[in-house]
Amino acid sequence: MSDDAIVIGAELARLDAEDPRAMFGSVAAMLAIDSRYVVADGINQELVVLDRKLTPAGTIGGRGEGPGEYQFPAVLAPSADLVAVLDRGLRRVYRLTPAGELRETVEITTHYAHHMAWHPDLGVLTTIMGIVPSPFPDRYLVVSRDDGPTPFGRIPEQFRKLEDGGYQSNHLVAVTPDNGVHVFDNEHLALVSYAADGNHTGTVFLPEEIRTAKLESRANNQAAFGAALIGGSSVTDLASLGDGRLFVRISHQTIAGLVVDPGTRQATPVIDRDAKSWRWVVSFTLNRVVINDTDLGNRLSLHRVRHER
């Protein structure tokens, strides 16, 4: 792990939980795009648009099953100049303009999708939810197109046998500007990378201290419950930062996440010195962070970040 650190600093703006303009049922995902943020509210089943000072600017969609409607919008990802939205309830991905105009609907027909990214050549990539059997047990991903689903991302040989008799995990996916595809394997706590043609280009494990702590915590939980856990995730988000690096959201002491360079295998910690239970980074860019305090009822706060040695 790098000796450098990215530190979450002063609060710049706040959206209180009781603000009547945006009373979130949940903040399932958040995406910074153009001059705004888009928030997926998985309980109220809509998208909420905020400006860069967290001022509510409108909503997109609503509860339903028709085009542009939602049951559980859970994941947001950039998609060229559009926003891709994974609705786990309806098993579909929408591609929308930032203003909310529906441009494309992609149906997920073979599996329950956990996480999603969009690739300019491949299209919609989804990981498979760990609580159900995989239709493609040797692959991480499914590419969903009009001509049908195609498996992608062959799981490295040494990772294919699940540990402890059947523990399954919810993996994550992101696409970097070089069109590389990156899967965070929550079973083995490793970032596994692929070229657009499917060739494996590298594997980076979490820093040893963090990986050991997470594996020990998993083992203790399994022992306490007397059975293998299903669908667990040590890392809860993976996002491209636009400069070739990835943000990995993980909680460990004061570490709120890691900025990982797949090429150099360098991991820079993101430090939250005010870390506490239920305080999560929901949007990370190279100069701003948005934190959700869920114990305060989904209170969002915008913070500057600074780099320290």
Side-chain angles (χ1 to χ4, degrees):
M1 189 156 58
S2 172
D3 292 333
D4 295 343
I6 299 169
V7 178
I8 297 173
E11 182 179 293
L12 301 175
R14 177 187 298 178
L15 178 61
D16 288 321
E18 63 272 16
D19 192 315
R21 297 171 297 172
M23 298 182 70
F24 297 109
S26 71
V27 179
M30 189 170 186
L31 178 68
I33 185 167
D34 296 333
S35 60
R36 66 192 76 190
Y37 293 101
V38 179
V39 181
D41 189 329
I43 292 179
N44 291 333
Q45 300 175 358
E46 63 184 7
L47 306 183
V48 180
V49 180
L50 310 175
D51 71 14
R52 285 303 181 94
K53 294 183 179 180
L54 303 184
T55 303
T59 61
I60 298 171
R63 183 172 298 141
E65 298 182 8
E69 296 178 332
Y70 302 98
Q71 285 187 1
F72 182 29
V75 182
L76 302 172
S79 176
D81 57 347
L82 304 178
V83 178
V85 186
L86 169 63
D87 189 303
R88 289 184 187 150
L90 294 174
R91 295 172 67 182
R92 66 178 59 148
V93 172
Y94 294 127
R95 296 181 67 217
L96 313 168
T97 69
E101 296 178 30
L102 179 61
R103 294 293 175 84
E104 183 182 20
T105 301
V106 179
E107 303 289 344
I108 309 299
T109 60
T110 60
H111 60 289
Y112 288 92
H114 174 69
H115 203 247
M116 172 271 301
W118 183 84
H119 192 283
D121 298 323
L122 298 170
V124 172
L125 297 160
T126 53
T127 64
I128 299 162
M129 192 165 287
I131 61 174
V132 295
S134 171
F136 307 109
D138 65 336
R139 305 297 178 100
Y140 285 121
L141 301 168
V142 180
V143 179
S144 296
R145 294 176 173 169
D146 291 340
D147 57 356
T150 303
F152 184 90
R154 187 177 297 277
I155 299 173
E157 188 69 36
Q158 69 270 29
F159 287 178
R160 287 188 199 169
K161 184 177 179 181
L162 294 176
E163 298 170 355
D164 301 323
Y167 181 93
Q168 298 184 62
S169 294
N170 289 321
H171 306 309
L172 309 170
V173 59
V175 174
T176 43
D178 62 357
N179 292 342
V181 179
H182 307 274
V183 175
F184 192 88
D185 183 317
N186 255 312
E187 167 71 19
H188 299 90
L189 304 188
L191 185 71
V192 187
S193 299
Y194 300 88
D197 61 5
N199 284 327
H200 176 223
T201 57
T203 299
V204 182
F205 288 93
L206 281 185
E208 189 59 33
E209 175 189 347
I210 299 175
R211 188 168 186 266
T212 297
K214 293 299 180 182
L215 291 175
E216 287 179 353
S217 175
R218 176 192 299 176
N220 290 338
N221 288 336
Q222 289 176 339
F225 286 100
L229 296 175
I230 300 298
S233 301
S234 294
V235 167
T236 52
D237 196 18
L238 179 70
S240 173
L241 295 178
D243 66 349
R245 296 182 295 171
L246 297 153
F247 175 69
V248 175
R249 185 170 71 195
I250 189 168
S251 177
H252 176 70
Q253 299 174 358
T254 61
I255 294 175
L258 299 166
V259 172
V260 178
D261 187 323
T264 65
R265 303 191 176 191
Q266 189 74 264
T268 303
V270 178
I271 304 298
D272 182 5
R273 295 197 170 120
D274 294 325
K276 59 183 179 179
S277 297
W278 310 114
R279 177 178 158 110
W280 301 96
V281 171
V282 289
S283 173
F284 182 90
T285 61
L286 296 174
N287 58 7
R288 295 289 188 272
V289 170
V290 179
I291 291 174
N292 182 21
D293 275 309
T294 57
D295 59 340
L296 297 176
N298 293 311
R299 186 188 76 177
L300 299 181
S301 55
L302 174 68
H303 298 255
R304 193 186 311 276
V305 299
R306 64 180 186 272
H307 296 256
E308 293 186 356
R309 286 188 169 273

